[in-house]
Amino acid sequence: MSVAQGFTVLIPARLASSRLPDKPLADIGGLPMVVRVARRAALSGATRCVVAADDSRILAACAQHGVAALATRADHPSGSDRLAEACAALGLADDEVVVNVQGDEPLIEPALIDAVAAELQARTDCAMSTAAHAIERRADWLDPNVVKVVTDARGTAQYFSRAPIPWWRDGMAGDDLPSPAPLRHVGIYAYRAAFLRRFPTLPAAPTERLESLEQLRALWHGERIAVHLTAHAPGPGVDTPQDLARVRALIGAA
């Protein structure tokens, strides 16, 4: 695959979190989490990395550590809505590639950011790209909290689901996994800027409401999503106090 060129990383950061209050500001190894995410993203080939924040405290933390950030509305229903506002504020060209790096992924691999950007740049037939890796444990395949994706011969997403897909009709009573292995979706996305600005205006898909998976909206409206296959699962994200303790331990041991 070609090396990604000239893309922007946007990092949505929302202060409110029901399971981990003030999550973007959580201290990890002496840095606020959102700052650590931005510094990891800056190691990619992105021409710029910008935090899209909903609170002045996030903006202040970014300014203190030299991280570019801009203010966005506090009432956005999703991260993609926040990114669409940031995309418009930055005046990005329609064909520019924007990578959405979640603000709770302090262990994100810069190489994965590059790969997802390059995937979209190489696929002019697609409006988005994302990533996936092979599932190794049957328990993960059956877990509704683990999102799965099925792709076609060109590596384009056919469907995302919390259900165990593809359904192994003749093997569900056993303990094995289908072959080839099913794919776990990794929640990193690249968009063409024009589509990112348009995405929040699209009506939600019935499948999106059922599965609570926003990416199904793009498929419902006929857009294509290229899927980069990575050999390894990414490091853990942070959604709960337990996640935070685990990531702190991993970074402290590094």
Side-chain angles (χ1 to χ4, degrees), residues 92-247:
L92 301 182
D94 284 353
D95 61 350
E96 183 162 349
V97 168
V98 178
V99 179
N100 174 2
V101 174
Q102 297 299 322
D104 56 7
E105 297 284 346
L107 299 177
I108 187 74
E109 287 292 339
L112 181 60
I113 299 172
D114 288 334
V116 171
E119 186 77 41
L120 184 56
Q121 289 173 341
R123 293 290 301 273
T124 57
D125 60 318
C126 295
M128 294 174 59
S129 65
T130 190
H133 65 86
I135 292 175
E136 297 179 349
R137 301 191 316 137
R138 185 179 175 92
D140 290 335
W141 182 47
L142 299 175
D143 187 346
N145 294 311
V146 174
V147 177
K148 278 71 67 173
V149 59
V150 171
T151 61
D152 64 16
R154 295 193 62 202
T156 307
Q158 291 182 301
Y159 192 65
F160 297 85
S161 183
R162 298 182 182 280
I165 57 172
W167 181 261
W168 191 12
R169 187 195 64 176
D170 297 325
M172 290 309 297
D175 295 324
D176 297 328
L177 282 168
S179 180
L183 299 176
R184 178 177 189 163
H185 177 233
V186 178
I188 181 173
Y189 300 96
Y191 308 79
R192 300 195 193 284
F195 178 67
L196 177 56
R197 284 189 286 263
R198 185 166 64 91
F199 184 79
T201 70
L202 297 175
T207 48
E208 173 189 355
R209 294 192 183 99
L210 285 170
E211 299 256 19
S212 192
L213 296 175
E214 195 177 50
Q215 63 270 34
L216 290 173
R217 188 185 313 179
L219 297 185
W220 175 261
H221 289 282
E223 301 292 349
R224 295 177 176 176
I225 303 175
V227 180
H228 166 72
L229 296 184
T230 180
H232 307 289
V238 176
D239 198 39
T240 66
Q242 294 75 20
D243 295 337
L244 180 60
R246 180 165 61 251
V247 169

Side-chain angles (χ1 to χ4, degrees), residues 27-54:
D27 182 273
I28 300 178
L31 290 173
M33 178 162 58
V34 69
V35 170
R36 188 170 285 278
V37 172
R39 288 188 176 182
R40 292 289 291 173
L43 297 175
S44 72
T47 54
R48 58 180 164 180
C49 301
V50 181
V51 173
D54 76 337

